[in-house]
Amino acid sequence: MPFAATILTLYPEMFPGPLGVSLAGRALREGSWSLDAVQIRDFATDKHRSVDDTPAGGGAGMVLRADVLAAAVDSVAGDCPILAMTPRGTPLTQQRVREIAQGPGVSILCGRFEGFDERLFEARAIEPVSIGDYVLSGGEMGALVLLDACIRLLPGVMGAPSSGDDESFETGLLEYPQYTRPVEWEGRTIPEVLRSGDHAKIAAWRKSMAERDTRLRRPDLWERHEGARVQSPSGARRED
Ligand code: SAH
């Protein structure tokens, strides 16, 4: 069975969008994953087909109605995790992406306006997910980000199966810096070690660069990485 993506949105025309091109687009055409974009408004029950209403307690904007959202969520297949895009959610990680990609698929609820009536999360098993500490105008871009990250992990989608192993976050570190020809560009040369052909030396250099860049750019990741290394005996052996 291909990986089944279901998007619940007020703007189904945004899909597949950028996921229709390149590797994800080819994989979609070849049937490695399937896409169903569901119009939330189809589950509205009043004559105006309204999906939102003013915030209880006052304030700006509109809030998406729990009854309409629940009807939309209840219409999708039951064996996939159901995620809702919200800046109030748990930040998305490569580990969660990997778990989702290994499963049968995912359903993603996209918010708009001021977001969802909170009772939706009490009444249904829906995982609130954030793609970062900034605010988008809608959940669709977040859903595209999450799907893109999952689809590239599906079997046969990326060229070489091993090309993900060293990547940023897979090891708890950022990836090492990459270079390609020309050997000299604007007076800068590719680091000598990468041209040495000495694979052990190259691996050691890459590891030290990954550590340096993680320490400088992502002290949060570095701290977690160091913490895990001290705590886990297998991790400590690996580092010795
Ligand atoms: N008032 C809300 C933001 C609403 S933004 C708040 O302050 O928490 C409108 C919609 O965009 C949200 O319902 C959500 O679906 C989406 N969105 C915005 N920022 C997001 C983020 N960082 N991650 C995931 N979805 C986001």
Side-chain angles (χ1 to χ4, degrees):
M1 280 292 279
F3 182 84
T6 305
I7 311 297
L8 302 153
T9 171
L10 289 169
Y11 300 98
E13 65 274 24
M14 287 180 73
F15 298 86
L19 298 180
V21 304
S22 192
L23 295 178
R26 196 183 64 199
L28 181 60
R29 287 187 295 278
E30 288 175 353
S32 302
W33 66 289
S34 68
L35 176 68
D36 187 14
V38 175
Q39 171 57 267
I40 293 171
R41 200 172 293 282
D42 291 347
F43 297 88
T45 50
D46 65 350
K47 67 173 191 293
H48 303 294
R49 300 221 298 159
S50 58
V51 295
D52 57 348
D53 208 330
T54 54
M62 298 295 272
V63 175
L64 290 167
R65 288 168 52 148
D67 56 344
V68 177
L69 295 171
V73 164
D74 292 347
S75 77
V76 307
D79 56 346
C80 297
I82 303 172
L83 277 48
M85 284 293 147
T86 165
R88 286 166 36 82
T90 305
L92 186 65
T93 60
Q94 185 65 15
Q95 189 192 330
R96 187 70 190 111
V97 164
R98 192 167 277 286
E99 286 163 10
I100 293 167
Q102 280 164 358
V106 66
S107 300
I108 309 174
L109 182 56
C110 302
R112 281 274 158 176
F113 323 125
E114 294 309 317
F116 312 104
D117 183 316
E118 187 65 18
R119 290 172 293 178
L120 180 71
F121 295 96
E122 297 161 13
R124 297 290 184 278
I126 297 175
E127 184 183 326
V129 172
S130 164
I131 65 156
D133 292 344
Y134 39 82
V135 180
L136 306 168
S137 57
E140 289 78 10
M141 302 272 195
L144 290 167
V145 165
L146 191 147
L147 280 183
D148 182 83
C150 289
I151 290 160
R152 62 189 288 285
L153 298 178
L154 300 177
V157 171
M158 279 211 309
S162 70
S163 69
D165 291 355
D166 275 354
E167 261 176 351
S168 297
F169 315 114
E170 294 290 357
T171 56
L173 296 174
L174 303 180
E175 194 183 59
Y176 46 79
Q178 299 271 18
Y179 301 84
T180 189
R181 281 181 285 271
V183 168
E184 192 186 325
W185 170 75
E186 293 193 352
R188 297 158 197 279
T189 52
I190 294 175
E192 181 67 44
V193 55
L194 297 179
R195 292 177 283 140
S196 68
D198 182 335
H199 295 295
K201 243 166 76 182
I202 291 170
W205 182 86
R206 284 179 165 169
K207 180 165 174 282
S208 77
M209 287 296 121
E211 290 174 352
R212 180 201 66 178
D213 290 343
T214 306
R215 208 165 46 231
L216 289 174
R217 296 178 184 178
R218 292 295 303 273
D220 57 322
L221 280 185
W222 178 247
E223 215 166 279
R224 209 176 317 150
H225 177 76
E226 283 299 274
R229 197 169 66 99
V230 171
Q231 271 161 30
S232 121
S234 64
R237 258 203 312 281
R238 198 176 60 237
E239 298 292 321
D240 277 344

